[in-house]
Amino acid sequence: QGQLVESGGGSVQAGGSLRLSCAALGFVSRISMAWFRQAPGKEREGVAVIFSGGAYTYYGDSVQGRFTISQDSAKNTLYLQMNGLKPEDTAMYYCAADHRPGNWYQADSWNSWGQGTQVTVSS
């Protein structure tokens, strides 16, 4: 089992952009990866997923059209480009990985998690 290390969070004003990164270290076989977020007092929410090989991506309804998930296989790094940020996007963002996730939007489908990176959007 490998390790996931996120970076790129921060504070921005509404309408701004951020790019999150997640380095996947030590995974020996192909994995699928996803971004989740969790706001205080709320459940962890699936934001976006990219399935092994990068052929398929899916997004949560609340971020569709604003966020883009991508990966650099050579660098074993996952990205989340977030544009048009809104105050309701404020949360801790987590990177997740698994060899064979079930329902991608459910947190318990993923075995490996990063430590999280905070995103704060002010109005």
Side-chain angles (χ1 to χ4, degrees):
Q1 187 145 332
Q3 182 183 7
L4 301 173
V5 181
E6 300 106 330
S7 60
S11 297
V12 295
Q13 291 191 327
S17 298
L18 283 173
R19 189 176 81 155
L20 306 183
S21 299
C22 173
L25 309 174
F27 289 90
V28 297
S29 58
R30 183 172 287 182
I31 53 173
S32 296
M33 299 185 73
W35 288 99
F36 281 75
R37 66 186 182 186
Q38 188 167 21
K42 295 188 176 181
E43 292 187 355
R44 195 164 293 192
E45 173 191 18
V47 173
V49 64
I50 189 164
F51 287 104
S52 56
Y56 301 98
T57 59
Y58 298 95
Y59 297 89
D61 290 342
S62 60
V63 305
Q64 180 76 46
R66 298 187 297 123
F67 291 10
T68 302
I69 189 171
S70 62
Q71 65 183 162
D72 184 331
S73 297
K75 297 181 180 179
N76 291 328
T77 300
L78 179 73
Y79 301 100
L80 184 68
Q81 179 65 45
M82 304 186 293
N83 298 328
L85 283 161
K86 304 176 181 180
E88 51 264 42
D89 294 319
T90 295
M92 186 71 79
Y93 283 71
Y94 297 91
C95 174
D98 199 279
H99 295 292
R100 193 174 294 179
N103 293 323
W104 77 266
Y105 48 86
Q106 293 181 335
D108 59 10
S109 294
W110 301 86
N111 285 322
S112 298
W113 291 88
Q115 80 286 354
T117 185
Q118 179 67 39
V119 172
T120 303
V121 185
S122 57
S123 57

